[in-house]
Amino acid sequence: NAPVMVANNDTGSANGLIGGVAVTNVLANDTYNGAPASLSTVKLSQSSTDNPNVTLDVATGAVNVAPNIKAGTYHVEYSIEDIINPGSIKTATATITVTAPVMIANADNGQVNGVTGGTAINNVLANDSYNGVAATLTNVTLTQVSTTNNNITLDVTTGAVNVAPGTPAGTYSVVYQIE
């Protein structure tokens, strides 16, 4: 009789911005004749993937995620084939969760003379982060959501909060988002 093979499904995750190894070795939970499956007992192959940037390395068993992948859930189907009994094949699926980069937007404070107006905050992104590094206009999109006074606006091309001349004294808020 041919040895009994079992291919079990796998799960893993990777950050969509930087990519990386989502599963170290899909064979880690598979068996061959009651023992752990290995590349010396089975031939590993990728059957399909629903994202060409999420792939199986058949030389190591690793599921790799390329950098700059949209967040979501992806599937890599693979098969193991008995080396000494070609044609004896089992399949499994590695389900990979690609996570979005972590973005942190922190509150800012500024002031300016309302009579003359000017820039109250030079750049609202100065204390924000994108995946652990400084948020900039090259790695995030800046949008003004609302303002409590139409004389106070966010310049989305620079990150500056500007106050128009002749703005009455008071405390106002500008709400922004980064994505």
Side-chain angles (χ1 to χ4, degrees), residues 30 81 94 118 146-147:
D30 297 344
E81 181 176 13
S146 63
T147 183

PDB file of all heavy atoms in Angstrom, residues 30 81 94 118 146-147:
ATOM      1  N   ASP A  30       1.440  18.930   7.751  1.00  0.00           N
ATOM      2  CA  ASP A  30       1.066  17.826   6.870  1.00  0.00           C
ATOM      3  C   ASP A  30       1.816  16.568   7.295  1.00  0.00           C
ATOM      4  O   ASP A  30       2.877  16.647   7.923  1.00  0.00           O
ATOM      5  CB  ASP A  30       1.410  18.175   5.415  1.00  0.00           C
ATOM      6  CG  ASP A  30       0.627  19.385   4.902  1.00  0.00           C
ATOM      7  OD1 ASP A  30      -0.373  19.761   5.545  1.00  0.00           O
ATOM      8  OD2 ASP A  30       1.028  19.949   3.875  1.00  0.00           O
ATOM      9  N   GLU A  81       2.635  15.539  -3.457  1.00  0.00           N
ATOM     10  CA  GLU A  81       2.604  14.300  -4.221  1.00  0.00           C
ATOM     11  C   GLU A  81       3.668  13.362  -3.679  1.00  0.00           C
ATOM     12  O   GLU A  81       4.816  13.756  -3.456  1.00  0.00           O
ATOM     13  CB  GLU A  81       2.864  14.575  -5.710  1.00  0.00           C
ATOM     14  CG  GLU A  81       2.825  13.334  -6.556  1.00  0.00           C
ATOM     15  CD  GLU A  81       2.996  13.636  -8.042  1.00  0.00           C
ATOM     16  OE1 GLU A  81       3.387  14.769  -8.382  1.00  0.00           O
ATOM     17  OE2 GLU A  81       2.750  12.735  -8.843  1.00  0.00           O
ATOM     18  N   ALA A  94      -3.748  27.398   1.740  1.00  0.00           N
ATOM     19  CA  ALA A  94      -3.194  28.348   2.704  1.00  0.00           C
ATOM     20  C   ALA A  94      -4.003  29.631   2.560  1.00  0.00           C
ATOM     21  O   ALA A  94      -4.040  30.236   1.481  1.00  0.00           O
ATOM     22  CB  ALA A  94      -1.719  28.600   2.434  1.00  0.00           C
ATOM     23  N   GLY A 118      -2.946  83.708   9.098  1.00  0.00           N
ATOM     24  CA  GLY A 118      -1.665  83.049   8.874  1.00  0.00           C
ATOM     25  C   GLY A 118      -1.770  81.548   9.061  1.00  0.00           C
ATOM     26  O   GLY A 118      -2.856  80.970   9.073  1.00  0.00           O
ATOM     27  N   SER A 146     -13.892  68.284   8.007  1.00  0.00           N
ATOM     28  CA  SER A 146     -14.791  69.366   8.397  1.00  0.00           C
ATOM     29  C   SER A 146     -13.999  70.472   9.079  1.00  0.00           C
ATOM     30  O   SER A 146     -12.836  70.300   9.431  1.00  0.00           O
ATOM     31  CB  SER A 146     -15.883  68.858   9.351  1.00  0.00           C
ATOM     32  OG  SER A 146     -15.297  68.394  10.556  1.00  0.00           O
ATOM     33  N   THR A 147     -14.643  71.609   9.250  1.00  0.00           N
ATOM     34  CA  THR A 147     -14.093  72.729  10.012  1.00  0.00           C
ATOM     35  C   THR A 147     -15.239  73.423  10.729  1.00  0.00           C
ATOM     36  O   THR A 147     -16.370  73.443  10.221  1.00  0.00           O
ATOM     37  CB  THR A 147     -13.317  73.717   9.110  1.00  0.00           C
ATOM     38  OG1 THR A 147     -12.752  74.746   9.918  1.00  0.00           O
ATOM     39  CG2 THR A 147     -14.198  74.322   8.034  1.00  0.00           C
TER      40      THR A 147
END
